[in-house]
Coordinates of all heavy atoms in Angstrom, one line a residue:
N12 N 44.8 99.8 92.0 CA 44.8 101.2 92.3 C 45.0 101.4 93.8 O 44.2 101.0 94.6 CB 43.4 101.7 91.9 CG 43.2 103.2 92.2 OD1 43.9 103.8 93.0 ND2 42.2 103.8 91.5
A13 N 46.2 102.0 94.1 CA 46.6 102.0 95.6 C 45.5 102.8 96.4 O 45.3 102.4 97.5 CB 47.9 102.7 95.7
Q14 N 45.0 103.8 95.8 CA 44.0 104.6 96.6 C 42.8 103.8 97.1 O 42.5 103.8 98.3 CB 43.4 105.8 95.7 CG 42.3 106.5 96.4 CD 41.8 107.7 95.5 OE1 42.6 108.5 95.0 NE2 40.5 107.8 95.4
D15 N 42.3 102.9 96.2 CA 41.2 102.0 96.7 C 41.6 101.1 97.8 O 40.9 100.9 98.8 CB 40.7 101.2 95.5 CG 40.1 102.1 94.4 OD1 39.8 103.2 94.7 OD2 40.0 101.6 93.3
V16 N 42.8 100.5 97.6 CA 43.3 99.5 98.6 C 43.5 100.2 99.9 O 43.1 99.7 101.0 CB 44.7 98.9 98.2 CG1 45.2 97.9 99.2 CG2 44.5 98.2 96.8
L17 N 44.1 101.4 99.9 CA 44.4 102.1 101.1 C 43.1 102.6 101.8 O 43.0 102.4 103.1 CB 45.3 103.4 100.9 CG 46.7 103.1 100.3 CD1 47.4 104.4 100.0 CD2 47.5 102.2 101.2
L18 N 42.2 103.1 101.1 CA 40.9 103.5 101.7 C 40.2 102.3 102.3 O 39.6 102.4 103.4 CB 40.0 104.2 100.7 CG 40.5 105.6 100.3 CD1 39.6 106.3 99.3 CD2 40.7 106.6 101.5
S19 N 40.1 101.2 101.6 CA 39.4 100.1 102.2 C 40.1 99.6 103.5 O 39.5 99.2 104.5 CB 39.2 98.9 101.2 OG 40.4 98.3 101.0
G20 N 41.5 99.6 103.4 CA 42.2 99.2 104.6 C 42.0 100.2 105.8 O 41.8 99.7 106.9
L21 N 42.0 101.5 105.5 CA 41.8 102.4 106.6 C 40.4 102.3 107.2 O 40.2 102.5 108.4 CB 42.0 103.9 106.0 CG 43.5 104.2 105.7 CD1 43.5 105.6 105.1 CD2 44.4 104.1 106.9
A22 N 39.4 102.0 106.3 CA 38.1 101.8 106.9 C 38.1 100.7 108.0 O 37.3 100.8 109.0 CB 37.1 101.4 105.8
K23 N 38.9 99.7 107.8 CA 38.9 98.6 108.8 C 39.8 99.0 110.0 O 39.8 98.3 111.0 CB 39.6 97.4 108.2 CG 38.8 96.8 107.0 CD 37.5 96.2 107.6 CE 36.6 95.7 106.4 NZ 35.2 95.6 106.8
L24 N 40.5 100.1 109.9 CA 41.4 100.5 111.0 C 40.8 101.7 111.8 O 41.5 102.2 112.7 CB 42.8 100.8 110.5 CG 43.5 99.7 109.9 CD1 44.9 100.1 109.3 CD2 43.8 98.6 110.9
E25 N 39.7 102.2 111.4 CA 39.2 103.5 112.0 C 38.9 103.3 113.5 O 39.0 104.3 114.2 CB 37.9 103.9 111.3 CG 38.1 105.3 110.6 CD 36.8 105.9 110.2 OE1 35.8 105.2 109.9 OE2 36.7 107.2 110.2
Y26 N 38.8 102.1 113.9 CA 38.6 101.9 115.4 C 39.8 102.3 116.1 O 39.8 102.5 117.3 CB 38.3 100.4 115.6 CG 39.5 99.5 115.6 CD1 40.3 99.3 116.7 CD2 39.9 98.9 114.4 CE1 41.4 98.5 116.6 CE2 41.0 98.1 114.3 CZ 41.8 97.9 115.4 OH 42.9 97.2 115.3
R27 N 41.0 102.4 115.4 CA 42.2 102.8 116.1 C 42.4 104.3 116.2 O 43.3 104.8 116.9 CB 43.4 102.2 115.3 CG 43.4 100.7 115.1 CD 44.6 100.2 114.4 NE 45.8 100.5 115.1 CZ 46.3 99.8 116.0 NH1 45.7 98.7 116.4 NH2 47.4 100.1 116.7
G28 N 41.5 105.0 115.6 CA 41.7 106.5 115.6 C 40.9 107.1 114.4 O 40.8 106.4 113.4
Y29 N 40.3 108.2 114.7 CA 39.5 108.8 113.6 C 39.4 110.3 113.6 O 38.4 110.8 113.3 CB 38.1 108.1 113.6 CG 37.5 108.0 115.0 CD1 37.1 109.1 115.8 CD2 37.5 106.7 115.6 CE1 36.6 108.9 117.0 CE2 37.0 106.5 116.9 CZ 36.6 107.7 117.6 OH 36.1 107.5 118.9
D30 N 40.4 110.9 114.1 CA 40.3 112.4 114.1 C 40.9 113.0 112.8 O 40.6 114.2 112.6 CB 40.9 113.0 115.4 CG 42.4 112.7 115.6 OD1 43.1 112.9 114.6 OD2 42.8 112.4 116.7
S31 N 41.6 112.3 112.0 CA 42.0 112.8 110.7 C 42.6 111.6 110.0 O 42.8 110.6 110.5 CB 43.1 113.9 110.9 OG 44.2 113.4 111.7
A32 N 42.7 111.8 108.7 CA 43.1 110.7 107.8 C 43.8 111.2 106.6 O 43.6 112.4 106.2 CB 41.9 109.8 107.4
G33 N 44.7 110.4 106.0 CA 45.4 110.8 104.8 C 46.1 109.6 104.1 O 46.3 108.6 104.7
I34 N 46.4 109.9 102.8 CA 47.2 108.9 102.1 C 48.2 109.6 101.3 O 48.1 110.8 101.0 CB 46.3 108.0 101.1 CG1 45.6 108.9 100.1 CG2 45.3 107.2 101.9 CD1 44.9 108.1 99.0
A35 N 49.3 108.8 100.9 CA 50.3 109.3 100.0 C 50.4 108.3 98.9 O 50.4 107.1 99.2 CB 51.7 109.5 100.7
I36 N 50.5 108.7 97.7 CA 50.6 107.8 96.5 C 51.7 108.3 95.6 O 51.9 109.5 95.4 CB 49.2 107.7 95.8 CG1 48.3 106.9 96.8 CG2 49.3 107.0 94.4 CD1 47.0 106.4 96.3
Y37 N 52.4 107.3 95.0 CA 53.5 107.6 94.1 C 52.8 107.8 92.7 O 52.3 106.8 92.1 CB 54.5 106.5 94.1 CG 55.6 106.7 93.1 CD1 56.5 107.8 93.3 CD2 55.8 105.9 92.0 CE1 57.6 108.0 92.4 CE2 56.9 106.1 91.1 CZ 57.7 107.2 91.3 OH 58.8 107.4 90.4

Side-chain angles (χ1 to χ4, degrees):
N12 178 340
Q14 176 177 307
D15 295 342
V16 179
L17 297 177
L18 288 178
S19 73
L21 291 178
K23 299 289 180 202
L24 296 177
E25 246 196 325
Y26 77 89
R27 301 181 63 84
Y29 41 73
D30 62 46
S31 51
I34 60 172
I36 288 192
Y37 181 65

